[in-house]
Amino acid sequence: MNPNKSFTDLKMKQREKISEWLYEETNKYYKQYSRMPGKSQREAILFSVYDKIQSAEIWIPYQEVKKYYLSRLIHFEKRIIRSIV
């Protein structure tokens, strides 16, 4: 285990799986509340997805997943809104 592993160090399939989990959780939240998650809700989504990551035995630091999620949030929002229209 490399404690300095970054998100880009993961295999493509692992990155895609994590990205899809993050999108699904964000989309589920959006459908339930008709808005994007706030700061505390984002943490809840991250914890939920991080549990899945650990269950899948993908080793990546939580902070790397968080950094990736925050960078992708605007893209997820656009994708969710496009799927509604």
Side-chain angles (χ1 to χ4, degrees):
M1 283 193 283
N2 179 359
N4 299 321
K5 196 176 216 181
S6 70
F7 194 82
T8 55
D9 292 334
L10 294 174
K11 294 175 185 162
M12 180 63 84
K13 269 189 163 181
Q14 293 172 322
R15 291 194 309 254
E16 288 172 353
K17 191 180 290 189
I18 292 169
S19 184
E20 194 56 33
W21 286 334
L22 288 167
Y23 172 75
E24 287 170 1
E25 288 296 318
T26 305
N27 191 27
K28 187 167 42 172
Y29 181 89
Y30 190 93
K31 285 180 178 177
Q32 188 173 355
Y33 298 102
S34 300
R35 63 182 177 85
M36 290 301 285
K39 191 172 185 175
S40 62
Q41 293 88 12
R42 288 193 297 256
E43 286 293 324
I45 288 169
L46 280 164
F47 282 128
S48 170
V49 172
Y50 199 69
D51 281 344
K52 289 181 183 180
I53 292 168
Q54 289 178 318
S55 295
E57 296 183 357
I58 301 171
W59 199 91
I60 183 83
Y62 176 81
Q63 289 302 320
E64 280 297 310
V65 178
K66 182 177 182 176
K67 186 170 77 172
Y68 174 77
Y69 180 55
L70 295 178
S71 74
R72 298 296 301 164
L73 208 49
I74 189 71
H75 301 283
F76 290 162
E77 183 175 11
K78 288 177 183 177
R79 185 173 160 194
I80 291 166
I81 291 170
R82 269 198 315 269
S83 72
I84 295 170
V85 176

